[in-house]
Amino acid sequence: MSSSNVSYTLRYFDAIGLAESSRILLTAAGVEWTEEHPEWPQEKPNQPHGRLPVLVEKSTDGSPDFVICESSNVERYIA
């Protein structure tokens, strides 16, 4: 993960599921993060490869620096 002057947004359903490990890892890492719950299936075409979960790394100005999808990829990146 990058330096402390970035924040993260985790996109997933409002439920326990594939993103739960990512939520735990983000909290344990002590980084600033928020969660978004996209309207599904309307938002599916706007997600990378049409999949969730998605982790978006944002710089201090709020612009996305990095986007990664699939739970195992997100978990490896956070860890």
Side-chain angles (χ1 to χ4, degrees):
M1 290 179 41
S2 295
S3 65
S4 62
N5 43 340
V6 297
S7 63
Y8 300 89
T9 301
L10 182 64
R11 294 183 194 143
Y12 195 66
F13 307 108
D14 188 17
I16 295 173
L18 293 174
E20 194 62 22
S21 295
S22 298
R23 292 176 181 122
I24 293 167
L25 288 167
L26 286 164
T27 301
V31 297
E32 181 182 335
W33 71 283
T34 59
E35 193 164 353
E36 292 179 354
H37 309 289
E39 293 294 322
W40 211 256
Q42 299 90 327
E43 286 293 318
K44 185 174 183 172
N46 301 328
Q47 305 306 318
H49 308 289
R51 307 293 297 260
L52 291 177
V54 171
L55 182 70
V56 180
E57 181 179 288
K58 298 179 182 178
S59 62
T60 53
D61 66 1
S63 62
D65 289 334
F66 185 76
V67 178
I68 188 170
C69 66
E70 300 284 344
S71 58
S72 58
N73 295 334
V74 171
E75 292 161 7
R76 274 185 247 136
Y77 181 71
I78 297 168

